[in-house]
Amino acid sequence: MASSISVFNSKELQAVIVAMKGFDREVAKQIRQQTKAVIQPAWQKAVAENTSTRLEARVLANTARVAVSDQNVTLKSAAIGKTLSGGLKPSESYGGVEFGAEQGVKRTYAARSVKGKQFNVTRRTQHQLRPRKATGYVVFPAVAEVIPRIAALWVQTTVRTFYELIEKR
């Protein structure tokens, strides 16, 4: 799951993107590294603050990552393909954890006892998830909280790193 915003509403963000295109490759690399070092903890903290269950923490907060390029900062969560203990893959199962599930869904199947008698078993297979909510419970609220701060951090980090590199030369 990744989110993005448009830079057309911000002159500062447009200036950062234009400046990054003109920088030397080594300078741009330093800026990307510094930006990631500053933004990663802020993003992870924002996602972790919005979790309320261990499942949300494991699937969404523990997998929160940031990808920084010359033109954007991408906020990710549950994008890793690594399987958690128990067999759950965050990249495949984040939907139910983030957006919840229908609570009235029941699944019935036939089972057989040890003595051979057949009977029906009814399970509420989605009952452990929160009720369905289109706006999400964890990542989407975290994105809404953190995007203005991350945009400001990106601009500040780019300017500060550029000036630090100029002073060294």
Side-chain angles (χ1 to χ4, degrees):
M1 224 161 57
S3 298
S4 63
I5 61 169
S6 173
V7 297
F8 294 116
N9 297 333
S10 172
K11 297 291 183 191
E12 293 84 4
L13 291 175
Q14 289 176 356
V16 167
I17 291 173
V18 170
M20 290 290 284
K21 287 181 181 179
F23 287 154
D24 181 45
R25 288 181 64 172
E26 189 60 36
V27 172
K29 179 182 175 185
Q30 288 287 332
I31 291 172
R32 285 191 306 271
Q33 288 174 346
Q34 292 296 324
T35 301
K36 185 171 182 174
V38 170
I39 292 176
Q40 178 87 21
W43 172 236
Q44 288 176 331
K45 181 181 177 196
V47 175
E49 287 175 350
N50 283 301
T51 61
S52 61
T53 66
R54 283 182 35 208
L55 180 63
E56 291 171 351
R58 297 279 316 271
V59 172
L60 301 173
N62 293 352
T63 61
R65 305 285 188 271
V66 173
V68 180
S69 72
D70 289 346
Q71 297 179 10
N72 65 26
V73 175
T74 305
L75 307 175
K76 300 177 183 180
S77 182
I80 62 170
K82 179 182 171 188
T83 303
L84 302 177
S85 63
L88 180 73
K89 263 189 143 174
S91 60
E92 294 174 357
S93 305
Y94 70 87
V97 178
E98 171 65 14
F99 300 107
E102 298 297 327
Q103 295 297 301
V105 176
K106 292 181 181 179
R107 180 175 172 248
T108 301
Y109 59 92
R112 193 171 299 275
S113 72
V114 177
K115 294 183 178 181
K117 184 177 179 185
Q118 188 171 351
F119 58 95
N120 290 330
V121 178
T122 301
R123 302 277 187 227
R124 293 179 289 188
T125 57
Q126 298 175 349
H127 200 67
Q128 73 273 19
L129 301 173
R130 291 184 181 193
R132 192 94 171 119
K133 183 178 177 185
T135 56
Y137 285 101
V138 180
V139 176
F140 278 45
V143 166
E145 293 170 13
V146 82
I147 277 185
R149 183 163 175 243
I150 286 181
L153 285 171
W154 190 30
V155 172
Q156 291 169 3
T157 304
T158 301
V159 171
R160 185 183 66 239
T161 305
F162 179 67
Y163 282 121
E164 286 174 358
L165 292 171
I166 287 176
E167 286 177 1
K168 287 182 181 178
R169 290 184 181 180

